[in-house]
């Protein structure tokens, strides 16, 4: 059974600081997704990573994928309050977009 | 921008009642999905649907659940006899080509509360 683990589960950080969220998964996959979820809301797609070594950046967020280590990272640069949300990684097992989601990382950016 | 729409946004029902959650996927998408998220927990896959049949389903998707595409636009999830543990947010999703470069688009969700 595929396991997807994120750490930390909860992250409180000050505005302006940098931090990285880690996503480890237990089986081979070369498709990984990052989503953002605000409380009570849907899942907003942030990044789709499709190959080993893929790196994508959007604003203050940068995601990377290392399929050999079965690890993806979401790096936050100079955090701002608007980034406060829960971030999920999800691994595609290769069967019709059956995504297995991680446990989520709740990010709180304080002033 | 095209989006996946879901109705109702919130439904409250009594245990044992039937519930139908409705979704309108993005119009040129071919693959449809239901996921659920129990409050405060991670998102879980329920079922995928293509060409008018189920492609894959999870252990959660037991005989109480069914999906249907009754016409060219709607995609429904039916729970025949709801249980307390069915209380969750249910997300519909769609994409054009699973496993391809495109992303999976999620709807806003339908919150189901079973009393």
């Amino acid at each position: 059974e595929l396991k997807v683990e994120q750490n930390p589960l909860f992250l409180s950080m000050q505005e302006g600081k940098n931090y990285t969220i880690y996503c480890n998964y237990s089986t081979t996959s070369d498709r990984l997704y990052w989503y953002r979820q605000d409380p009570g809301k849907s899942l907003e797609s942030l990044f789709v990573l499709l190959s080993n070594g893929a790196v994508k950046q959007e604003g203050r967020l940068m995601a990377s994928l290392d399929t050999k280590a079965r690890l993806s990272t979401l790096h936050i640069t100079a955090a701002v309050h608007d980034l406060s949300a829960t971030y999920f990684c999800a691994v595609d097992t290769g069967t019709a977009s059956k995504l297995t989601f991680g446990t989520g990382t709740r990010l709180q950016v304080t002033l | 921008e095209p989006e996946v729409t879901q109705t109702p946004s919130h439904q409250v029902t009594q245990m044992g009642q039937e519930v139908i959650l409705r979704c309108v996927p993005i119009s040129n998408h071919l693959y449809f999905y239901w996921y659920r998220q129990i409050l405060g927990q991670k998102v879980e896959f329920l079922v995928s649907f293509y060409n008018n049949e189920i492609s894959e389903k999870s252990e959660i998707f037991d005989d109480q659940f069914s999906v249907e595409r009754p016409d060219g636009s709607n995609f429904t999830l039916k729970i025949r006899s709801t249980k307390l543990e069915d209380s969750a947010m249910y997300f519909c999703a769609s994409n054009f080509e699973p496993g391809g470069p495109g992303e999976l688009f999620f709807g806003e969700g339908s919150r189901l509360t079973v009393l």
Side-chain angles (χ1 to χ4, degrees):
Chain A
E1 180 190 339
L2 171 60
K3 286 184 171 29
V4 182
E5 294 180 347
Q6 289 179 235
N7 71 83
L9 297 182
F10 178 72
L11 174 58
S12 180
M13 57 190 297
Q14 285 185 316
E15 276 201 335
K17 300 291 187 184
N18 304 333
Y19 208 83
T20 300
I21 298 170
Y22 297 89
C23 173
N24 289 90
Y25 52 98
S26 62
T27 195
T28 302
S29 174
D30 58 3
R31 281 189 295 276
L32 190 137
Y33 303 77
W34 283 96
Y35 287 91
R36 168 184 171 144
Q37 186 180 39
D38 291 297
K41 300 293 186 182
S42 186
L43 297 154
E44 175 191 351
S45 177
L46 296 174
F47 300 108
V48 180
L49 302 169
L50 297 175
S51 61
N52 186 40
V55 177
K56 290 195 175 178
Q57 182 162 5
E58 180 75 34
R60 300 174 189 275
L61 301 177
M62 183 172 71
S64 67
L65 178 62
D66 181 343
T67 59
K68 292 179 183 175
R70 297 177 186 170
L71 171 69
S72 180
T73 61
L74 180 67
H75 186 73
I76 303 152
T77 302
V80 292
H81 182 68
D82 285 352
L83 290 179
S84 297
T86 298
Y87 293 84
F88 289 95
C89 65
V91 176
D92 188 341
T93 60
T95 309
S97 288
K98 176 186 171 185
L99 299 187
T100 300
F101 280 78
T103 45
T105 296
R106 186 170 152 230
L107 172 66
Q108 185 177 62
V109 181
T110 57
L111 298 171
Chain B
E1 185 176 326
E3 57 181 18
V4 177
T5 58
Q6 290 185 239
T7 55
S9 57
H10 188 196
Q11 181 155 358
V12 181
T13 190
Q14 295 290 325
M15 194 169 53
Q17 295 297 303
E18 176 183 284
V19 161
I20 297 176
L21 305 178
R22 292 182 168 78
C23 168
V24 179
I26 293 174
S27 61
N28 67 337
H29 284 184
L30 303 175
Y31 297 83
F32 315 118
Y33 311 83
W34 285 99
Y35 285 78
R36 81 168 187 192
Q37 184 180 34
I38 295 171
L39 186 63
Q41 298 187 23
K42 65 179 180 179
V43 180
E44 301 172 292
F45 170 82
L46 290 179
V47 65
S48 59
F49 190 87
Y50 169 70
N51 200 25
N52 277 323
E53 61 183 29
I54 291 173
S55 304
E56 190 165 355
K57 59 184 181 180
S58 70
E59 293 175 354
I60 303 167
F61 195 88
D62 62 21
D63 291 344
Q64 292 299 314
F65 291 89
S66 62
V67 289
E68 192 179 30
R69 188 155 163 83
D71 53 43
S73 59
N74 289 285
F75 178 51
T76 62
L77 174 69
K78 182 193 289 187
I79 310 174
R80 287 192 186 82
S81 177
T82 50
K83 303 189 280 277
L84 294 176
E85 53 265 38
D86 293 329
S87 294
M89 182 75 96
Y90 289 81
F91 292 107
C92 175
S94 69
N95 62 3
F96 181 74
E97 179 188 4
E103 60 193 274
L104 191 59
F105 292 85
F106 284 85
E108 290 292 311
S110 293
R111 180 170 297 285
L112 176 64
T113 302
V114 182
L115 301 176

